[in-house]
């Protein structure tokens, strides 16, 4: 819905007639006079919040959209027509839009500081390193503070340690069958997960989704040989692990308080 003339008038008054603003303490008209400006501010904050996923299901839709854009043959440069997470992080922190922080931090954690928005859009044109590829996303890294980088790096380290540490395989031991094929496949799955989560371009939510899709296939597949029961249990385990990881993002990146 477009802004009304009355709302726009009140907003312009804040810019051009600040001496006339109703900011007197205990004044009875203060809240009524400010309602239009606050309504506009709330509306645009809502737009920002809707851009960024707040649930794992929304994240999956967001990630599917990103991947479709990245691999589109009509896509000129990765990052165009996609959300830019560094500026979103700065905006969210400045104006207290905490709802988008989990997705923004996690999205940034998947990107490399070497893939810089400014460098790849320099006055010299498209950077030579990506002239032949479209599958690179960039960020405005210069906007981030040292504290932002610290939170990012700590979060990435926590995720990597959670999935490659010595305690991780213990979580998957439980009510599985003891047949040779299933037992061997469970070991292979664990090894594949640890390997995937050790990469520098870590995207643990994507990796766990990929493995869940593979283990969901019943019987002998090109990936694993699992009985119906083991396939079901391992798939559920991976789905729960994805959800748990998403739920812990505020704590992982250090802004849960």
């Amino acid at each position: 819905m477009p802004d009304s003339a009355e709302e726009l008038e009140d907003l312009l008054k804040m810019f051009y007639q600040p001496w006339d603003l109703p900011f007197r303490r205990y004044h009875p008209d203060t809240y009524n006079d400010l309602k239009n400006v606050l309504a506009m501010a709330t509306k645009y904050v809502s737009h920002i919040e809707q851009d960024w996923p707040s649930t794992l299901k929304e994240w999956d839709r967001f990630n599917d959209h990103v991947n479709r854009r990245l691999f589109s043959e009509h896509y000129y440069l990765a990052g165009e027509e996609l959300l830019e997470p560094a500026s979103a992080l700065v905006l969210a922190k400045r104006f207290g839009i905490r709802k988008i922080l989990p997705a923004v931090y996690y999205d940034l954690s998947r990107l490399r500081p070497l893939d810089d928005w400014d460098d790849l859009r320099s006055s010299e044109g498209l950077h030579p390193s990506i002239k032949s590829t479209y599958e690179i996303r960039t960020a405005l890294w210069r906007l981030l503070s040292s504290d932002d980088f610290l939170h990012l790096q700590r979060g990435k380290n926590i995720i990597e340690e959670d999935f490659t540490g010595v305690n991780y395989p213990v979580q998957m031991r439980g009510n599985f069958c003891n047949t040779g094929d299933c037992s061997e496949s469970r070991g292979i799955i664990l090894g594949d997960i640890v390997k995937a989560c050790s990469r520098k371009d870590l995207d643990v939510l994507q990796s766990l989704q990929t493995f869940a899709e593979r283990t969901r296939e019943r019987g002998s597949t090109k990936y694993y040989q699992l009985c119906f029961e083991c396939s079901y249990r391992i798939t559920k385990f991976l789905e729960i692990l994805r959800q748990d990881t998403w739920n812990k993002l505020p704590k992982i990146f250090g802004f849960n308080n």
Side-chain angles (χ1 to χ4, degrees), residues 97-114:
I97 313 175
R98 296 179 62 84
K99 184 177 180 180
I100 74 172
L101 286 177
V104 171
Y105 264 111
Y106 184 77
D107 195 33
L108 266 175
S109 75
R110 307 187 299 168
L111 309 183
R112 304 186 311 163
L114 288 175

Side-chain angles (χ1 to χ4, degrees), residues 112-130:
R112 304 186 311 163
L114 288 175
D115 297 326
D116 182 75
W117 180 287
D118 294 324
D119 287 349
L120 300 184
R121 292 164 178 79
S122 66
S123 59
E124 299 175 358
L126 193 60
H127 195 281
S129 66
I130 60 170

